Amino acid sequence: MLVVDNQVFQNWAKTFSCRPEQYVLAQSEADVVEAVAAARKAGRRVRVVGSGHSPSDIACTTGTMININALNRVVKVDSDARQVTVEAGTTLQQLNELLDRLGWAMPNLGSISEQTIAGAISTGTHGTGIEFGALATAIVDLRLVTASGEVLALSRTSSPDVFLAALCSLGCLGVITQVTIQAVPAFQIRAEQAPISFADMIANFESLVRSADHVRFWWFPHTDNCIVWKGTRTSDPPQPSKINWLRDIFLGVHVYELSLYMSTLVPQLVPAINQRYFQRFFNKQLTTTDKSFKIFNFDCLFSQYVTEWAVEWSKAPEALSRLKKFIEDNPEVVAHSPVEIRFVKRDDIHLSMSSGYDTCFIGIIMYRPYGKDVTKEKYWAGYEKIMEDLGGRPHWAKAHRLGPQELRKLYPKFDSFCAIRAKLDPDNVFVNDYIDRHLVSGLKAKL
């Protein structure tokens, strides 16, 4: 077990940081067991970190932080079942490359692959596609180190209630050290992107959502401009689009960031920036075909504040229309592009944002050009009020203000999850400020 002194943790967006008393670089499951035991004996709280992509303080602690990046080995490949077992620190990028060599693929993916598989499932990471579940729905079984040092082997047939809690555990049930993933045969995606007006998007919402295997929308606030992106599974050979450095990198990243920086001095520039950005990069139809993981992933550009809530997907048109009106009625509010709209199939995972019904995730963003903070409070408050009014569930990886009393109304299995947490971790070893304010503080779980 390797221990690093005076380590400062900072998340990818550089919006949250902490200085843990002990920073452990775990090399094995045995190291995790040892680190948890040592922390418990010393009275320190424990949190686990991988790539640190969550835009919140979910990983932060002043106690013991266990980094699992070195737990990235392949444990088993079951060709007959098309299943692969990997250690929990394996990144999605490493997993995609492994599955590709085997002629397999993940059923669905989110926008990035720098996350570890444990971090991705523990926070409810999802892609898009109304008939496809969040990443955790592809997990067949997992191993969990609890606060007592016990290692639990969990699946739908072995302790199914604990397994369904662990599939979106926020890191508060213990440390996931290994997972088995149900893969699918490798496939290509033919991605078609086309401009569409906001009014047409809303008017044809249901038919558009079901018009391809994977659909998402981007709306450019302060304008009526949207794009609809449709991904269709195909066996056609890859025909990837080529990157044009001048257009895609110089203009699409560097000039865009400079423009947003200027808008921190003159906020009235944002509507024009959003309009120009759409016209320059998104105002025409584009088609490309490539391996699924290459299509699902895209560049998230630079440091940013983001928040995302999920609503029952039939309520999404109302949510978007209300958000557009809120921005129009409050000219002092500036909103960066895009507002991203994605869809996820229902599941039965205790704290999954899609538990019980098909969902639409609506995400908003405010970039931090060159690391400069931006004013977002009124925009965030207006958005959250709309989503809360419609019974929305905030994304667990992202900062939000709901406490246990509000959250238990949104999740039928909330009390069951809290009871499992209390049983596995009665001394709150895996509780940090994030877990305390969202799951523990002021709430007594029903045992």
Side-chain angles (χ1 to χ4, degrees):
M1 183 174 75
L2 301 177
V3 179
V4 179
D5 295 327
N6 300 315
Q7 180 72 29
V8 175
F9 165 76
Q10 190 173 53
N11 70 336
W12 173 82
K14 299 181 180 179
T15 51
F16 292 90
S17 63
C18 65
R19 186 186 293 271
E21 183 177 337
Q22 185 181 60
Y23 190 85
V24 176
L25 300 173
Q27 309 296 302
S28 65
E29 183 178 83
D31 281 355
V32 173
V33 173
E34 181 182 351
V36 171
R40 181 169 181 165
K41 183 176 181 180
R44 291 190 299 266
R45 301 291 178 89
V46 177
R47 294 300 288 170
V48 179
V49 68
S51 60
H53 254 271
S54 291
S56 69
D57 61 338
I58 189 171
C60 289
T61 183
T62 55
T64 293
M65 179 171 280
I66 303 176
N67 185 303
I68 61 168
N69 285 332
L71 273 67
N72 61 2
R73 291 171 284 266
V74 179
V75 178
K76 180 183 178 182
V77 175
D78 185 338
S79 298
D80 293 334
R82 200 178 288 116
Q83 294 175 356
V84 60
T85 302
V86 297
E87 291 181 320
T90 303
T91 65
L92 295 178
Q93 181 177 343
Q94 293 168 331
L95 182 60
N96 290 336
E97 292 170 353
L98 168 65
L99 295 177
D100 189 49
R101 291 195 298 270
L102 294 169
W104 303 345
M106 288 289 288
N108 203 1
L109 286 167
S111 303
I112 61 172
S113 285
E114 289 83 4
Q115 301 157 286
T116 62
I117 182 62
I121 66 171
S122 294
T123 54
T125 296
H126 62 91
T128 192
I130 197 68
E131 296 297 330
F132 297 89
L135 268 63
T137 59
I139 303 300
V140 176
D141 59 51
L142 59 84
R143 290 172 65 86
L144 181 77
V145 177
T146 68
S148 68
E150 183 182 7
V151 181
L152 303 180
L154 305 172
S155 69
R156 285 185 177 270
T157 56
S158 176
S159 302
D161 200 38
V162 180
F163 175 67
L164 291 172
L167 285 179
C168 185
S169 67
L170 317 181
C172 70
L173 302 186
V175 184
I176 296 174
T177 57
Q178 180 179 298
V179 299
T180 298
I181 299 151
Q182 181 64 62
V184 299
F187 59 96
Q188 278 74 253
I189 291 281
R190 184 176 70 252
E192 300 171 287
Q193 176 181 295
I196 186 174
S197 70
F198 186 92
D200 285 346
M201 176 184 72
I202 296 299
N204 300 287
F205 201 78
E206 181 173 359
S207 61
L208 287 169
V209 170
R210 299 190 182 280
S211 63
D213 298 312
H214 306 273
V215 173
R216 69 169 176 255
F217 303 105
W218 280 6
W219 167 46
F220 294 74
H222 305 290
T223 80
D224 292 321
N225 299 322
C226 301
I227 61 168
V228 55
W229 180 95
K230 300 180 181 181
T232 303
R233 294 175 176 231
T234 180
S235 58
D236 293 346
Q239 293 182 316
S241 57
K242 295 181 179 179
I243 294 178
N244 180 299
W245 187 89
L246 179 62
R247 179 193 65 203
D248 300 321
I249 306 301
F250 179 71
L251 294 176
V253 179
H254 299 299
V255 172
Y256 185 46
E257 185 171 18
L258 178 61
S259 300
L260 292 176
Y261 181 84
M262 293 172 62
S263 75
T264 65
L265 306 175
V266 186
Q268 295 82 359
L269 291 173
V270 169
I273 292 171
N274 288 359
Q275 181 70 32
R276 179 61 64 88
Y277 191 52
F278 173 83
Q279 293 292 339
R280 183 67 183 83
F281 295 99
F282 300 100
N283 196 27
K284 63 180 180 179
Q285 186 164 339
L286 298 173
T287 302
T288 186
T289 302
D290 211 337
K291 293 180 178 181
S292 58
F293 62 93
K294 294 184 178 181
I295 292 291
F296 285 135
N297 289 171
F298 59 84
D299 190 350
C300 290
L301 300 182
F302 34 86
S303 180
Q304 58 201 237
Y305 290 113
V306 292
T307 189
E308 183 179 36
W309 289 45
V311 294
E312 194 166 353
W313 82 278
S314 61
K315 298 178 180 178
E318 180 182 352
L320 291 164
S321 297
R322 287 178 62 179
L323 182 60
K324 188 172 188 291
K325 186 176 187 305
F326 168 78
I327 293 173
E328 291 171 347
D329 289 348
N330 294 273
E332 72 278 13
V333 169
V334 295
H336 291 170
S337 296
V339 171
E340 185 175 38
I341 302 133
R342 295 181 288 174
F343 305 90
V344 179
K345 184 180 181 179
R346 72 181 66 194
D347 60 52
D348 59 353
I349 298 168
H350 288 9
L351 291 190
S352 166
M353 288 85 73
S354 299
S355 180
Y357 50 77
D358 297 338
T359 50
C360 173
F361 284 79
I362 301 174
I364 64 174
I365 189 168
M366 288 296 288
Y367 285 106
R368 302 175 65 244
Y370 309 118
K372 185 173 182 181
D373 277 334
V374 291
T375 301
K376 63 178 179 65
E377 286 72 22
K378 188 165 185 177
Y379 182 26
W380 252 234
Y383 162 86
E384 289 181 342
K385 175 66 165 59
I386 292 166
M387 300 303 281
E388 192 173 3
D389 285 349
L390 295 174
R393 296 165 171 171
H395 196 302
W396 290 113
K398 295 161 185 176
H400 65 89
R401 57 178 175 75
L402 297 192
Q405 296 293 354
E406 294 91 351
L407 290 165
R408 82 186 312 177
K409 298 174 184 177
L410 300 175
Y411 291 93
K413 288 283 190 176
F414 187 84
D415 285 326
S416 176
F417 180 92
C418 290
I420 291 168
R421 189 206 68 79
K423 183 178 180 179
L424 294 181
D425 187 16
D427 298 320
N428 293 338
V429 173
F430 294 106
V431 171
N432 64 348
D433 288 345
Y434 174 99
I435 298 299
D436 183 62
R437 69 175 177 269
H438 294 312
L439 298 184
V440 178
S441 183
L443 179 71
K444 183 178 180 181
K446 296 178 181 178
L447 300 178

